Amino acid sequence: MEAPPVSVMPVTGGAINMMEYLLQGSVLDQSLESLLHRLRGLCDNMEPESFADHELVYLLKGQQGNPFLLRARRSLLHPPAPWHLRYLGQPEVGDKSRLALVRNCVDVSASHGLPEVLNEMGFRMDHEFVAKGQMFRKGAMKVVVSKLSRVLVPGNTENTEPLSLSYLVELSVLAPAGQDTVSEDMRSFAEQLKPLVHLEKIDPKRLM
């Protein structure tokens, strides 16, 4: 459910409208090194990308229905890099034949004044967190392993505490609509990560 690290997002001025295919799981802190070792062996022969990102989640409440949600993320490792704004559509979980969660995904790069612009538009920040970890690639697939931490003092990314004793693991592919065969490749790859981590098609509504 979280965004990929800023370093892997498209740095362009326009929006990119794609479908995100997603499998998620978690691994306990004490099993992290075993998982990273497995990923180095299975993924492309390149060093994983380390990241530390600050994400702010904004809501715009309407008179009816669910609030409109946007995610703004910036890199803590590369402060001059553009911010990234992300919209995620409602997941298409009804089709049981699909092996991965599928949802519309729009990414757009933005200037450092993004939070002020969102506030002026009527959005209000709901919560913020810091995500730190590594990102691996396997062809078109991305595997993001991240530790999520809550921000204890608003805006102070130096003052955080971990949300859990585990790491979030996300296997995702961005592809045009209708490319459902990518989920088969994702499932095959996920099988190779067992029993270290079980990646599943998770309905976010079920967790709320």
Side-chain angles (χ1 to χ4, degrees):
M1 288 185 289
E2 312 307 333
V6 169
S7 61
V8 306
M9 288 186 177
V11 183
T12 65
I16 296 181
N17 193 342
M18 302 284 277
M19 302 301 291
E20 180 183 54
Y21 296 78
L22 180 69
L23 294 174
Q24 295 174 301
S26 64
V27 61
L28 292 172
D29 290 356
Q30 58 263 35
S31 301
L32 174 65
E33 287 305 319
S34 296
L35 175 62
L36 295 179
H37 180 75
R38 177 76 61 85
L39 288 172
R40 290 188 183 98
L42 293 174
C43 293
D44 294 345
N45 187 22
M46 62 177 65
E47 282 298 312
E49 298 181 35
S50 298
F51 65 91
D53 292 345
H54 177 209
E55 181 162 310
L56 301 89
V57 179
Y58 288 86
L59 299 179
L60 180 62
K61 296 183 179 179
Q63 294 181 347
Q64 297 179 348
N66 296 325
F68 190 77
L69 185 149
L70 291 175
R71 298 174 177 271
R73 185 175 275 223
R74 67 186 180 100
S75 172
L76 299 175
L77 299 181
H78 308 285
W83 280 67
H84 281 271
L85 185 65
R86 197 170 205 239
Y87 165 76
L88 296 171
Q90 292 296 319
E92 301 174 7
V93 296
D95 188 348
K96 298 186 182 300
S97 66
R98 282 180 165 163
L99 301 178
L101 181 144
V102 183
R103 58 189 178 186
N104 184 260
C105 177
V106 181
D107 285 327
V108 60
S109 60
S111 70
H112 287 222
L114 178 60
E116 290 76 13
V117 172
L118 291 175
N119 285 326
E120 288 294 325
M121 293 174 63
F123 284 87
R124 293 294 176 262
M125 190 182 73
D126 183 69
H127 62 278
E128 59 183 323
F129 61 90
V130 170
K132 296 182 179 180
Q134 297 183 59
M135 193 278 296
F136 296 79
R137 294 180 185 272
K138 177 66 173 178
M141 293 184 286
K142 298 187 182 76
V143 186
V144 177
V145 183
S146 57
K147 169 70 74 171
L148 305 183
S149 300
R150 63 169 57 91
V151 176
L152 300 177
V153 179
N156 184 355
T157 56
E158 299 297 325
N159 192 356
T160 64
E161 69 175 13
L163 286 170
S164 69
L165 298 177
S166 62
Y167 280 75
L168 175 66
V169 184
E170 296 181 304
L171 172 62
S172 65
V173 175
L174 285 178
Q179 303 294 315
D180 290 349
T181 55
V182 301
S183 61
E184 298 175 5
D185 295 333
M186 294 171 65
R187 277 292 184 183
S188 296
F189 184 82
E191 287 294 322
Q192 300 180 72
L193 297 179
K194 293 179 179 179
L196 293 173
V197 62
H198 293 263
L199 298 176
E200 301 176 312
K201 175 184 174 181
I202 297 176
D203 181 0
K205 293 181 180 179
R206 184 164 55 87
L207 303 178
M208 297 177 64

